[in-house]
Amino acid sequence: MTTLSVVDSHTGGEPTRVIDQDLDLGTGPLAQRRTLFQEKFDWIRRATCTEPRASEAMVGAILTPPTNPLAVTGVIFFNNVDVLGMCGHGMIGVVATLAYQRKIQPGKHRIETPVGDVLATLHENGEVSVRNVPSYRHLADLELNVPGYGSVMGDVAYGGNWFYLVKSPAMTLSYSDRDELLRFTKAIRHTLDKQKVTGAHEGRIDHIELYGQPSSELAANSRNFVLCPGGEYDRSPCGTGTSAKIAILAAEGKLAPGQIWRQESITGSIFQASYDLVDDQIVPTIRGSAYVTAVSQLIINPADQFAFGIQAR
Ligand code: PYC
Protein backbone atom coordinates (compact mmCIF):
# COMPACT_ATOMS: atom_id res chain seq x y z
CA MET A 1 0.00 0.00 0.00
CA THR A 2 1.40 3.40 -0.98
CA THR A 3 0.06 6.78 0.10
CA LEU A 4 0.61 10.15 -1.57
CA SER A 5 -0.02 13.46 0.20
CA VAL A 6 -1.63 16.02 -2.06
CA VAL A 7 -2.88 19.60 -1.83
CA ASP A 8 -5.70 20.45 -4.22
CA SER A 9 -6.64 23.92 -5.37
CA HIS A 10 -8.57 25.50 -8.19
CA THR A 11 -7.72 28.53 -10.26
CA GLY A 12 -10.75 30.04 -11.94
CA GLY A 13 -12.45 26.65 -11.69
CA GLU A 14 -9.56 24.61 -13.13
CA PRO A 15 -8.04 22.15 -10.63
CA THR A 16 -4.37 21.75 -9.66
CA ARG A 17 -3.04 18.96 -7.46
CA VAL A 18 0.39 19.46 -5.87
CA ILE A 19 1.88 16.10 -4.96
CA ASP A 20 3.94 16.40 -1.80
CA GLN A 21 6.51 13.74 -2.58
CA ASP A 22 10.30 13.83 -2.91
CA LEU A 23 11.23 12.05 -6.14
CA ASP A 24 14.72 11.27 -7.34
CA LEU A 25 14.76 13.16 -10.63
CA GLY A 26 18.50 13.89 -10.58
CA THR A 27 20.02 17.35 -10.53
CA GLY A 28 19.89 18.16 -14.25
CA PRO A 29 17.89 20.85 -16.02
CA LEU A 30 14.12 20.73 -15.56
CA ALA A 31 13.53 19.50 -19.12
CA GLN A 32 15.71 16.47 -18.34
CA ARG A 33 13.91 15.87 -15.05
CA ARG A 34 10.58 16.00 -16.88
CA THR A 35 11.80 13.16 -19.14
CA LEU A 36 12.89 11.18 -16.06
CA PHE A 37 9.48 11.78 -14.50
CA GLN A 38 7.84 10.43 -17.68
CA GLU A 39 10.08 7.37 -17.70
CA LYS A 40 10.13 6.46 -14.02
CA PHE A 41 7.09 8.01 -12.39
CA ASP A 42 4.31 7.91 -14.93
CA TRP A 43 2.37 5.87 -12.34
CA ILE A 44 2.18 9.00 -10.17
CA ARG A 45 0.68 10.96 -13.06
CA ARG A 46 -1.87 8.25 -13.75
CA ALA A 47 -2.72 7.67 -10.07
CA THR A 48 -3.22 11.37 -9.31
CA CYS A 49 -4.66 12.87 -12.52
CA THR A 50 -7.08 10.29 -13.86
CA GLU A 51 -10.32 8.76 -12.66
CA PRO A 52 -11.25 7.47 -10.14
CA ARG A 53 -9.15 9.86 -8.00
CA ALA A 54 -9.40 12.97 -10.16
CA SER A 55 -11.61 14.60 -12.70
CA GLU A 56 -10.07 14.42 -16.17
CA ALA A 57 -9.48 18.19 -15.99
CA MET A 58 -6.92 17.79 -13.18
CA VAL A 59 -3.40 19.16 -13.67
CA GLY A 60 -0.77 17.66 -11.36
CA ALA A 61 2.40 19.36 -10.17
CA ILE A 62 5.49 17.80 -8.68
CA LEU A 63 7.94 20.13 -6.99
CA THR A 64 11.67 19.51 -7.38
CA PRO A 65 14.68 21.37 -5.94
CA PRO A 66 15.68 24.26 -8.25
CA THR A 67 18.96 24.24 -10.20
CA ASN A 68 19.37 27.96 -9.43
CA PRO A 69 19.68 28.90 -5.74
CA LEU A 70 17.77 32.11 -6.52
CA ALA A 71 14.69 30.06 -7.43
CA VAL A 72 12.24 28.90 -4.76
CA THR A 73 11.45 25.60 -6.49
CA GLY A 74 11.24 23.78 -9.79
CA VAL A 75 7.93 22.36 -10.96
CA ILE A 76 6.86 19.75 -13.50
CA PHE A 77 3.22 19.85 -14.61
CA PHE A 78 1.26 16.92 -16.01
CA ASN A 79 -2.31 15.93 -16.80
CA ASN A 80 -4.47 12.92 -17.58
CA VAL A 81 -2.43 12.00 -20.68
CA ASP A 82 1.13 13.35 -20.40
CA VAL A 83 3.49 16.00 -19.05
CA LEU A 84 3.06 19.70 -19.90
CA GLY A 85 5.56 22.49 -20.66
CA MET A 86 4.18 25.29 -18.52
CA CYS A 87 0.77 25.71 -17.00
CA GLY A 88 -0.52 29.15 -16.10
CA HIS A 89 -3.47 28.21 -13.93
CA GLY A 90 -1.31 25.45 -12.41
CA MET A 91 1.45 27.93 -11.54
CA ILE A 92 -1.08 30.18 -9.78
CA GLY A 93 -2.29 27.06 -7.93
CA VAL A 94 1.26 26.07 -6.93
CA VAL A 95 1.99 29.56 -5.56
CA ALA A 96 -1.31 29.62 -3.61
CA THR A 97 -0.46 26.15 -2.25
CA LEU A 98 3.05 27.22 -1.15
CA ALA A 99 1.48 30.26 0.54
CA TYR A 100 -1.13 28.04 2.25
CA GLN A 101 1.70 25.83 3.52
CA ARG A 102 3.52 28.98 4.71
CA LYS A 103 6.51 28.07 2.57
CA ILE A 104 6.49 31.48 0.86
CA GLN A 105 5.45 35.02 1.81
CA PRO A 106 4.04 37.80 -0.35
CA GLY A 107 6.70 38.97 -2.81
CA LYS A 108 8.44 37.78 -5.96
CA HIS A 109 9.47 34.16 -6.42
CA ARG A 110 11.44 32.64 -9.28
CA ILE A 111 10.16 29.19 -10.26
CA GLU A 112 11.82 26.87 -12.77
CA THR A 113 9.85 24.88 -15.35
CA PRO A 114 10.98 22.59 -18.18
CA VAL A 115 10.39 25.44 -20.67
CA GLY A 116 12.11 28.21 -18.70
CA ASP A 117 11.89 30.24 -15.52
CA VAL A 118 8.82 32.21 -14.56
CA LEU A 119 8.60 34.98 -12.00
CA ALA A 120 5.60 34.61 -9.71
CA THR A 121 4.38 37.41 -7.47
CA LEU A 122 2.26 36.54 -4.47
CA HIS A 123 0.30 39.74 -3.78
CA GLU A 124 -0.77 40.83 -0.28
CA ASN A 125 -4.42 40.12 -1.19
CA GLY A 126 -3.57 36.53 -2.14
CA GLU A 127 -3.75 37.06 -5.89
CA VAL A 128 -0.88 35.73 -7.96
CA SER A 129 0.84 37.18 -11.03
CA VAL A 130 2.94 34.96 -13.24
CA ARG A 131 5.46 36.51 -15.57
CA ASN A 132 5.51 33.75 -18.12
CA VAL A 133 8.14 32.51 -20.58
CA PRO A 134 8.48 34.55 -23.82
CA SER A 135 5.51 33.91 -26.08
CA TYR A 136 5.14 34.32 -29.84
CA ARG A 137 3.00 33.86 -32.92
CA HIS A 138 4.47 31.13 -35.11
CA LEU A 139 2.03 30.96 -38.06
CA ALA A 140 -0.57 33.57 -39.03
CA ASP A 141 -3.82 32.92 -40.92
CA LEU A 142 -3.50 29.19 -41.33
CA GLU A 143 -6.61 27.87 -43.08
CA LEU A 144 -7.81 24.34 -42.38
CA ASN A 145 -10.56 22.34 -43.99
CA VAL A 146 -12.07 20.58 -40.99
CA PRO A 147 -14.25 17.57 -41.93
CA GLY A 148 -17.85 18.21 -40.95
CA TYR A 149 -17.18 21.91 -40.30
CA GLY A 150 -15.51 23.34 -43.44
CA SER A 151 -13.06 26.23 -43.54
CA VAL A 152 -11.47 27.34 -40.28
CA MET A 153 -8.90 30.14 -40.07
CA GLY A 154 -6.50 30.62 -37.18
CA ASP A 155 -3.01 31.33 -35.89
CA VAL A 156 -0.47 29.01 -34.30
CA ALA A 157 1.15 30.56 -31.22
CA TYR A 158 3.28 29.59 -28.23
CA GLY A 159 2.62 30.62 -24.64
CA GLY A 160 4.50 27.83 -22.80
CA ASN A 161 2.44 25.22 -24.70
CA TRP A 162 1.38 25.18 -28.38
CA PHE A 163 -1.99 26.58 -29.43
CA TYR A 164 -4.09 26.94 -32.57
CA LEU A 165 -6.28 30.00 -31.96
CA VAL A 166 -9.35 30.15 -34.15
CA LYS A 167 -10.19 33.50 -35.78
CA SER A 168 -13.08 32.36 -37.92
CA PRO A 169 -15.78 31.22 -37.88
CA ALA A 170 -16.78 33.71 -35.18
CA MET A 171 -18.40 31.81 -32.32
CA THR A 172 -20.79 32.43 -29.48
CA LEU A 173 -19.22 30.65 -26.55
CA SER A 174 -21.79 29.49 -24.10
CA TYR A 175 -21.16 27.10 -21.20
CA SER A 176 -24.24 25.08 -22.13
CA ASP A 177 -22.71 24.38 -25.57
CA ARG A 178 -19.48 22.89 -24.20
CA ASP A 179 -20.08 19.38 -25.59
CA GLU A 180 -20.42 20.80 -29.10
CA LEU A 181 -17.39 23.08 -28.53
CA LEU A 182 -15.38 20.02 -27.47
CA ARG A 183 -16.41 18.16 -30.65
CA PHE A 184 -15.44 21.14 -32.84
CA THR A 185 -12.05 21.73 -31.19
CA LYS A 186 -11.22 18.01 -31.26
CA ALA A 187 -12.01 17.94 -34.99
CA ILE A 188 -9.62 20.88 -35.49
CA ARG A 189 -6.86 19.15 -33.55
CA HIS A 190 -7.39 15.96 -35.50
CA THR A 191 -7.04 17.95 -38.75
CA LEU A 192 -3.82 19.61 -37.54
CA ASP A 193 -2.39 16.21 -36.59
CA LYS A 194 -3.44 14.65 -39.91
CA GLN A 195 -1.88 17.48 -41.89
CA LYS A 196 1.23 17.30 -39.68
CA VAL A 197 0.99 20.98 -38.77
CA THR A 198 3.20 21.62 -35.75
CA GLY A 199 4.68 24.47 -33.78
CA ALA A 200 8.41 25.25 -33.89
CA HIS A 201 10.77 22.28 -33.32
CA GLU A 202 7.88 19.97 -34.26
CA GLY A 203 6.00 20.83 -31.06
CA ARG A 204 2.58 19.20 -31.19
CA ILE A 205 -0.29 21.70 -31.21
CA ASP A 206 -2.27 20.04 -28.45
CA HIS A 207 -4.33 23.01 -27.23
CA ILE A 208 -7.10 24.55 -29.39
CA GLU A 209 -8.54 27.91 -28.43
CA LEU A 210 -11.80 29.55 -29.54
CA TYR A 211 -12.71 33.21 -28.96
CA GLY A 212 -16.00 35.03 -28.61
CA GLN A 213 -17.69 38.00 -26.99
CA PRO A 214 -17.32 38.29 -23.20
CA SER A 215 -20.39 38.01 -20.97
CA SER A 216 -20.02 41.75 -20.36
CA GLU A 217 -17.70 44.19 -22.10
CA LEU A 218 -17.14 45.88 -18.76
CA ALA A 219 -15.83 42.65 -17.24
CA ALA A 220 -13.55 41.35 -19.98
CA ASN A 221 -12.21 41.89 -23.50
CA SER A 222 -13.04 38.42 -24.71
CA ARG A 223 -14.21 34.97 -23.66
CA ASN A 224 -12.40 31.78 -24.61
CA PHE A 225 -12.86 28.05 -24.74
CA VAL A 226 -9.68 25.96 -24.61
CA LEU A 227 -9.38 22.29 -25.47
CA CYS A 228 -6.61 20.71 -23.36
CA PRO A 229 -4.41 17.78 -24.47
CA GLY A 230 -6.36 15.10 -22.59
CA GLY A 231 -9.69 15.94 -24.24
CA GLU A 232 -11.04 18.16 -21.45
CA TYR A 233 -11.67 21.90 -21.63
CA ASP A 234 -9.96 24.43 -19.40
CA ARG A 235 -12.34 25.79 -16.77
CA SER A 236 -10.00 28.77 -16.30
CA PRO A 237 -9.06 31.25 -19.05
CA CYS A 238 -5.84 29.18 -19.50
CA GLY A 239 -2.66 31.03 -18.58
CA THR A 240 -0.54 29.70 -21.43
CA GLY A 241 -3.46 30.16 -23.84
CA THR A 242 -3.94 33.75 -22.71
CA SER A 243 -0.18 34.25 -23.18
CA ALA A 244 -0.46 32.91 -26.73
CA LYS A 245 -3.40 35.25 -27.37
CA ILE A 246 -1.41 38.21 -26.00
CA ALA A 247 1.47 37.31 -28.36
CA ILE A 248 -0.94 37.42 -31.33
CA LEU A 249 -2.50 40.72 -30.24
CA ALA A 250 0.99 42.19 -29.85
CA ALA A 251 2.08 40.87 -33.28
CA GLU A 252 -1.03 42.43 -34.82
CA GLY A 253 -0.35 45.77 -33.13
CA LYS A 254 -3.66 45.52 -31.23
CA LEU A 255 -2.20 45.54 -27.69
CA ALA A 256 0.60 47.81 -26.49
CA PRO A 257 3.17 46.82 -23.84
CA GLY A 258 1.63 47.31 -20.38
CA GLN A 259 -1.94 47.52 -21.70
CA ILE A 260 -4.37 45.30 -19.78
CA TRP A 261 -6.26 42.45 -21.48
CA ARG A 262 -8.97 40.75 -19.45
CA GLN A 263 -9.61 37.20 -20.57
CA GLU A 264 -12.80 35.43 -19.51
CA SER A 265 -13.14 31.64 -19.56
CA ILE A 266 -16.11 29.56 -20.64
CA THR A 267 -17.04 29.30 -16.92
CA GLY A 268 -16.91 33.08 -16.41
CA SER A 269 -13.62 33.23 -14.46
CA ILE A 270 -11.15 35.97 -15.45
CA PHE A 271 -7.39 36.41 -15.79
CA GLN A 272 -5.87 39.84 -16.21
CA ALA A 273 -2.97 39.88 -18.67
CA SER A 274 -0.43 42.28 -20.12
CA TYR A 275 3.06 42.02 -21.60
CA ASP A 276 6.49 43.63 -21.62
CA LEU A 277 8.88 43.72 -24.52
CA VAL A 278 12.26 42.32 -23.47
CA ASP A 279 14.93 42.22 -26.21
CA ASP A 280 12.08 42.26 -28.75
CA GLN A 281 10.45 39.27 -27.08
CA ILE A 282 6.86 39.33 -25.82
CA VAL A 283 6.84 38.41 -22.12
CA PRO A 284 3.24 38.06 -20.84
CA THR A 285 2.14 38.38 -17.23
CA ILE A 286 -1.07 36.68 -16.11
CA ARG A 287 -2.84 37.53 -12.87
CA GLY A 288 -5.50 35.47 -11.11
CA SER A 289 -6.50 33.76 -7.86
CA ALA A 290 -6.41 30.18 -6.64
CA TYR A 291 -8.09 28.63 -3.63
CA VAL A 292 -6.91 25.55 -1.75
CA THR A 293 -9.78 23.06 -1.65
CA ALA A 294 -8.33 19.95 0.03
CA VAL A 295 -5.32 18.50 1.80
CA SER A 296 -5.50 14.74 1.58
CA GLN A 297 -3.82 11.36 1.36
CA LEU A 298 -4.36 9.27 -1.75
CA ILE A 299 -4.23 5.54 -1.10
CA ILE A 300 -2.81 3.27 -3.77
CA ASN A 301 -3.76 -0.30 -3.01
CA PRO A 302 -2.23 -2.89 -5.36
CA ALA A 303 -5.36 -5.03 -4.97
CA ASP A 304 -7.38 -2.23 -6.59
CA GLN A 305 -7.97 -2.85 -10.31
CA PHE A 306 -7.84 0.94 -10.82
CA ALA A 307 -4.99 1.71 -8.41
CA PHE A 308 -3.21 3.56 -11.24
CA GLY A 309 -6.29 5.05 -12.86
CA ILE A 310 -8.70 3.73 -15.44
CA GLN A 311 -6.67 2.65 -18.47
CA ALA A 312 -7.96 2.27 -22.00
CA ARG A 313 -8.23 -1.46 -22.81
O1 PYC B 1 -3.50 27.57 -17.56
O2 PYC B 1 -1.85 27.26 -18.96
C1 PYC B 1 -2.87 26.89 -18.39
C2 PYC B 1 -3.37 25.54 -18.68
C3 PYC B 1 -2.89 24.63 -19.59
C4 PYC B 1 -3.69 23.50 -19.50
C5 PYC B 1 -4.65 23.73 -18.55
N1 PYC B 1 -4.43 24.98 -18.05
Side-chain angles (χ1 to χ4, degrees), residues 14 59 84 86-90 161 207 228-229 234 236 238-241 271:
E14 181 76 352
V59 167
L84 282 161
M86 228 300 276
C87 182
H89 94 267
N161 295 301
H207 294 72
C228 295
D234 197 329
S236 85
C238 192
T240 52
F271 284 165

Side-chain angles (χ1 to χ4, degrees), residues 256-260 273-276:
Q259 198 179 336
I260 300 292
S274 62
Y275 73 95
D276 291 324

Side-chain angles (χ1 to χ4, degrees), residues 29-307:
L30 269 276
Q32 200 178 83
R33 293 190 211 179
R34 179 175 64 172
T35 307
L36 275 177
F37 178 80
Q38 270 175 311
E39 288 168 2
K40 287 172 53 184
F41 298 108
D42 196 55
W43 65 270
I44 292 187
R45 181 190 65 72
R46 287 185 275 118
T48 58
C49 288
T50 64
E51 292 179 359
R53 291 193 197 82
S55 95
E56 297 280 310
M58 182 65 84
V59 167
I62 195 97
L63 304 184
T64 179
T67 62
N68 175 349
L70 294 177
V72 63
T73 186
V75 58
I76 296 163
F77 290 110
F78 41 91
N79 60 19
N80 54 341
V81 288
D82 206 351
V83 291
L84 282 161
M86 228 300 276
C87 182
H89 94 267
M91 189 59 82
I92 294 172
V94 164
V95 172
T97 296
L98 292 173
Y100 176 84
Q101 295 175 319
R102 303 198 186 287
K103 291 184 177 164
I104 60 169
Q105 301 299 320
K108 290 190 191 309
H109 305 282
R110 178 175 294 277
I111 301 183
E112 296 176 347
T113 82
V115 294
D117 290 7
V118 306
L119 196 61
T121 304
L122 174 63
H123 299 278
E124 292 287 348
N125 68 357
E127 288 182 5
V128 178
S129 297
V130 177
R131 187 177 161 92
N132 196 4
V133 296
S135 301
Y136 57 98
R137 181 171 69 178
H138 176 63
L139 293 172
D141 296 333
L142 174 73
E143 187 173 4
L144 300 172
N145 187 3
V146 181
Y149 294 93
S151 168
V152 173
M153 181 78 87
D155 293 345
V156 175
Y158 181 78
N161 295 301
W162 281 104
F163 290 80
Y164 180 77
L165 299 98
V166 174
K167 285 175 160 166
S168 73
M171 314 270 307
T172 302
L173 301 180
S174 142
Y175 183 68
S176 55
D177 291 339
R178 59 198 185 283
D179 289 345
E180 174 48 28
L181 298 173
L182 275 175
R183 272 192 290 278
F184 179 45
T185 48
K186 285 180 184 177
I188 294 173
R189 187 167 63 195
H190 186 67
T191 306
L192 288 165
D193 282 344
K194 244 184 133 182
Q195 296 189 6
K196 301 195 182 345
V197 181
T198 67
H201 316 297
E202 299 184 3
R204 181 169 180 241
I205 303 166
D206 50 10
H207 294 72
I208 310 294
E209 189 158 347
L210 308 176
Y211 280 89
Q213 289 303 308
S215 55
S216 139
E217 284 182 7
L218 286 178
N221 297 89
S222 109
R223 166 176 272 231
N224 70 10
F225 175 91
V226 179
L227 172 68
C228 295
E232 272 298 335
Y233 67 92
D234 197 329
R235 278 69 168 159
S236 85
C238 192
T240 52
T242 300
S243 298
K245 175 70 177 175
I246 289 286
I248 291 171
L249 291 166
E252 291 175 339
K254 292 182 178 161
L255 195 73
Q259 198 179 336
I260 300 292
W261 178 264
R262 288 170 69 78
Q263 186 62 58
E264 183 180 49
S265 72
I266 190 72
T267 64
S269 52
I270 291 179
F271 284 165
Q272 181 175 295
S274 62
Y275 73 95
D276 291 324
L277 273 182
V278 182
D279 299 331
D280 284 339
Q281 290 188 308
I282 297 156
V283 181
T285 297
I286 307 297
R287 181 168 176 153
S289 301
Y291 297 90
V292 169
T293 53
V295 178
S296 42
Q297 295 271 322
L298 306 185
I299 297 167
I300 300 175
N301 181 342
D304 176 357
Q305 176 186 4
F306 298 123

